[in-house]
Amino acid sequence: MAEATPIRPQPADTIETWQYEADVVVAGYGIAGVSAAIEAARAGADVLVLERTSGWGGAAALAGGFIYLGGGTPLQQALGFEDSPENMKAFMMAALGPGADEEKITDYCEGSVEHYNWLVDNGVPFKESFYGQPGWETPFDDGLMYSGGENAAPFNAIATPAPRGHVPQMADKRTGEKGGGYMLMKPLVETAEKLGVRAEYDMRVQRLIVDADGRVVGIIAKQYGKEIAVRARTGVVLATGSFAYNKEMVQNYAPRLIGKPGASIEEHDGRAIRMAQALGADLAHMDATEVAFFGDPQLMVRGILVNGRGQRYVNEDTYPGRIGQETLLRNENQAYLIIDEAAYEEGIAADSSTPFFRFQPKWVAETVEELESEMGLPAGALVSTVEVYNRHAENGEDPVLGKKPEWCKPIGSPIAALDLRNFTAGFTLGGLRTTINSEVLHVSGEPIPGLFAAGRCTSGVCAGGYASGTSLGDGSFYGRRAGVSAAKG
Ligand SMILES: Cc1cc2nc3c(=O)[nH]c(=O)nc-3n(C[C@H](O)[C@H](O)[C@H](O)COP(=O)(O)OP(=O)(O)OC[C@H]3O[C@@H](n4cnc5c(N)ncnc54)[C@H](O)[C@@H]3O)c2cc1C
């Protein structure tokens, strides 16, 4: 049967004319692509980037801009936080698993300080200030924040807490529209341009070109409806993002995200994964997902989150992305925030990067019994949850889930519930299996000659868990490696 949109590799000897040529051809001009382009150019390669849209940026330019870095970066040190590669690794192995790639995480942690310096040397600005409040991001232009639950249970007992969410400084920040991600991309693209990197826009990469030995030697792309053959003399780098917007792939690999908004851009259609699969590439962690949760951390931390059975299931002072994963993946996407009036008013008055996640309570009552009944929960379920929580909160403790003492306050009256059911979005984390040199691995376990990849079309440092900054982090880190490897050929 003929393929509707051909995806199988095309033999090089069938190409009559190469419309473009370069040493290294990079598909996608987001974070992984720009990092690959810079390092390939620095290694002496002539570099051409093919981008599907009419400009650089990708999801990276829309992102909040967290880059997960640690091990004692100059910013961590300047702000008085101690960290080491070993400590960072202990956290990442615990928080990003099960199944996290230990070799990649070790390598990533050991190279993290150098990577921070590389970003700074390439013009990415970080302000020396720390934001310590609960939040998805800092509402201001602070450069450092906890971004993975490092300072909350259970991870604060596994590794010494250190904030690792490094955020480029951004003036006139507007979360979700214009954030630190833009201030990451802009200086990097300017660096690439200075190094002579060329870019062709409105170029939609379609399939790989291979020679008789099975080596990848180019790419077929479509530009304004015409097929274009692009020759890569030393290597091809795939950097086109995740499969969050490929319905069929989400259905087959990450079904918890079916019908949820994609926290991504529509161009993340999984094409690079499919193109490489058609050549025998291996995959990893295709079920792994980042999960955004539309509850304001400043409110969540002051109440208790309960599931559809009225039971607590996560410490409310942890990273909101972990709350999202716990809610969607393990609690059927059912969540209510139970909060008393005084705590609600205090939370509403606090600074927030996500004021649009502040919702009015759906149910309000004088007693927990009344609230439970109005919500339709089984009699006694919420009553016993609040009773146990309050009993220990009186002493500033949460022996059930380990919420930190500063947030443990008994829930009083009047009491309300916010309806946070089905309030999640997400993007996919799985993809091509790659080495620490960003070589794409064949199912046989050997690298596919001439083919490299980075960013969310690959499986990076995350498997079961997630921390904000790991996507821009491993995308830039392994993007650089892909550039170096592709330039060597
Ligand atoms: C609102 C929001 C906030 C986020 N905040 C953070 C954060 O703070 N920290 C973090 O680590 N992550 C964050 N993320 C996730 C992060 O932005 C992405 O995971 C990351 O950008 C992935 O990098 P990438 O290089 O793989 O993809 P991208 O940066 O999206 O780059 C891929 C590029 O490839 C292009 N492309 C796609 N298909 C083709 C094709 N067929 N041919 C040619 N080009 C193609 C795309 O147009 C795009 O320009 C956020 C995402 C969103 C949406």
Side-chain angles (χ1 to χ4, degrees):
M1 202 172 75
E3 293 166 286
T5 312
I7 196 153
R8 284 173 215 266
Q10 180 152 341
D13 59 12
T14 63
I15 306 290
E16 284 173 11
T17 315
W18 297 96
Q19 277 84 1
Y20 295 93
E21 284 196 29
D23 297 327
V24 173
V25 174
V26 179
Y29 215 173
I31 187 59
V34 71
S35 306
I38 290 173
E39 290 299 79
R42 287 219 172 104
D46 169 35
V47 183
L48 174 64
V49 184
L50 310 178
E51 166 57 45
R52 173 174 160 179
T53 65
S54 303
W56 53 262
L62 293 177
F66 277 116
I67 309 152
Y68 203 80
L69 298 165
T73 65
L75 188 65
Q76 286 180 313
Q77 290 188 27
L79 291 167
F81 293 101
E82 278 191 25
D83 197 9
S84 67
E86 296 73 30
N87 189 49
M88 181 179 179
K89 177 181 166 181
F91 169 79
M92 289 180 80
M93 285 305 295
L96 308 182
D101 182 333
E102 185 164 1
E103 190 187 8
K104 251 184 204 168
I105 287 184
T106 308
D107 175 53
Y108 184 82
C109 295
E110 283 171 356
S112 192
V113 171
E114 187 276 335
H115 192 49
Y116 172 87
N117 291 332
W118 182 86
L119 290 167
V120 172
D121 290 347
N122 286 308
V124 181
F126 295 101
K127 185 177 169 188
E128 265 186 32
S129 86
F130 169 68
Y131 184 76
Q133 294 205 38
W136 271 105
E137 298 173 10
T138 160
F140 310 113
D141 61 352
D142 311 283
L144 192 64
M145 195 177 155
Y146 285 102
S147 67
E150 298 83 350
N151 59 339
F155 308 119
N156 55 3
I158 293 171
T160 305
R164 303 194 183 93
H166 289 60
V167 194
Q169 188 174 8
M170 174 86 198
D172 303 324
K173 183 160 150 165
R174 289 194 299 277
T175 300
E177 293 171 35
K178 186 182 168 208
Y182 176 78
M183 275 312 288
L184 171 65
M185 283 303 298
K186 186 171 180 284
L188 294 184
V189 171
E190 285 167 359
T191 301
E193 283 168 354
K194 277 191 212 131
L195 289 166
V197 168
R198 293 174 288 140
E200 279 295 322
Y201 295 102
D202 303 301
M203 268 279 204
R204 188 167 177 167
V205 164
Q206 299 281 299
R207 59 191 187 276
L208 298 167
I209 302 171
V210 287
D211 70 11
D213 300 327
R215 183 182 179 82
V216 175
V217 293
I219 275 182
I220 298 282
K222 258 202 174 159
Q223 195 176 33
Y224 308 124
K226 265 182 64 183
E227 280 214 339
I228 309 278
V230 184
R231 184 168 169 223
R233 286 183 289 260
T234 59
V236 163
V237 176
L238 298 176
T240 60
S242 76
F243 62 94
Y245 273 87
N246 183 318
K247 266 190 180 170
E248 202 184 358
M249 289 176 79
V250 166
Q251 165 98 29
N252 290 340
Y253 295 114
R256 290 278 184 187
L257 289 186
I258 293 173
K260 311 276 171 313
S264 187
I265 54 170
E266 285 175 27
E267 287 74 23
H268 281 212
D269 65 0
R271 185 77 189 181
I273 299 173
R274 292 314 228 186
M275 283 161 57
Q277 271 190 288
L279 199 55
D282 202 358
L283 304 175
H285 300 303
M286 292 295 279
D287 61 331
T289 52
E290 180 269 357
V291 183
F293 184 65
F294 305 139
D296 186 332
Q298 289 279 24
L299 291 179
M300 294 193 290
V301 78
R302 291 175 167 84
I304 56 169
L305 282 166
V306 299
N307 62 18
R309 295 182 297 279
Q311 296 162 335
R312 282 179 78 217
Y313 60 92
V314 66
N315 45 318
E316 298 82 1
D317 61 347
T318 190
Y319 166 54
R322 182 168 159 82
I323 295 178
Q325 287 190 324
E326 290 297 325
T327 305
L328 175 65
L329 308 180
R330 286 175 273 285
N331 284 282
E332 306 300 330
N333 220 5
Q334 302 293 294
Y336 304 100
L337 178 64
I338 311 298
I339 189 165
D340 66 29
E341 189 179 38
Y344 183 80
E345 295 301 333
E346 190 184 277
I348 290 287
D351 291 326
S352 172
S353 62
T354 47
F356 39 87
F357 286 177
R358 288 177 168 176
F359 304 99
Q360 295 286 327
K362 183 163 178 180
W363 301 276
V364 183
E366 289 302 316
T367 66
V368 186
E369 286 85 348
E370 282 166 28
L371 187 71
E372 173 182 87
S373 153
E374 280 181 34
M375 292 170 71
L377 291 173
L382 188 61
V383 169
S384 58
T385 297
V386 174
E387 195 274 313
V388 171
Y389 178 77
N390 280 357
R391 187 194 308 173
H392 298 289
E394 299 278 357
N395 309 319
E397 289 170 2
D398 174 22
V400 177
L401 289 163
K403 185 150 105 171
K404 288 189 291 291
E406 65 198 274
W407 300 113
C408 291
K409 287 198 186 117
I411 298 173
S413 171
I415 185 170
L418 276 69
D419 189 356
L420 302 178
R421 287 175 293 178
N422 305 312
F423 258 27
T424 48
F427 60 83
T428 57
L429 296 169
L432 299 169
R433 195 156 83 83
T434 52
T435 66
I436 58 170
N437 290 316
S438 301
E439 301 151 301
V440 175
L441 290 171
H442 189 267
V443 286
S444 65
E446 292 152 30
I448 297 176
L451 189 62
F452 308 90
R456 279 295 62 83
C457 65
T458 67
S459 174
V461 293
C462 296
Y466 191 73
S468 277
T470 48
S471 288
L472 297 176
D474 72 18
S476 50
F477 192 91
Y478 288 107
R480 291 175 60 193
R481 291 282 175 81
V484 172
S485 299
K488 277 193 203 142

